[in-house]
């Protein structure tokens, strides 16, 4: 499990909870199993590009937040 997979999992989990979706509800919208969502959120696996893009759209996240975390940290300071 890499740091980037952990960071992505945390981003997804936080955003999913902000939308007040269960893992099952999010999995259904994403077109994957709840088991897969659990693995994503725990950083045990990395999504395909298709799933990554779909998750970012559903959760209203910017890919920049994931790809360039240092920029987001600098912007908040």
């Amino acid at each position: 499990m890499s740091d980037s997979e952990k960071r992505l999992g945390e981003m997804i989990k936080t955003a999913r909870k902000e939308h007040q979706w269960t893992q099952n509800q999010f999995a259904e919208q994403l077109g994957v199993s709840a088991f897969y969502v659990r693995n994503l959120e725990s950083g045990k696996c990395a999504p395909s590009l298709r799933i990554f893009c779909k998750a970012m759209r559903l959760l209203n996240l910017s890919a920049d937040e994931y790809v360039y975390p240092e920029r987001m940290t600098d912007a908040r300071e």
Side-chain angles (χ1 to χ4, degrees):
M1 170 178 3
S2 72
D3 287 342
S4 64
E5 289 168 341
K6 284 183 192 177
R7 187 173 67 252
L8 179 60
E10 290 170 8
M11 285 177 61
I12 290 172
K13 184 176 184 176
T14 299
R16 175 184 60 78
K17 287 183 174 189
E18 288 173 359
H19 281 81
Q20 298 179 341
W21 292 333
T22 65
Q23 287 179 333
N24 287 338
Q25 290 168 325
F26 181 56
E28 187 174 312
Q29 292 183 51
L30 200 53
V32 298
S33 69
F35 178 77
Y36 183 76
V37 169
R38 280 191 296 278
N39 282 336
L40 282 177
E41 289 184 355
S42 67
K44 292 181 181 175
C45 69
S48 66
L49 182 58
R50 182 182 68 80
I51 296 295
F52 174 81
C53 292
K54 191 170 184 179
M56 295 292 110
R57 281 194 309 273
L58 285 169
L59 297 169
N60 299 320
L61 292 173
S62 167
D64 283 351
E65 293 178 44
Y66 171 68
V67 177
Y68 304 108
E70 66 282 353
R71 289 184 188 173
M72 298 301 129
T73 302
D74 293 344
R76 290 182 195 132
E77 293 176 356

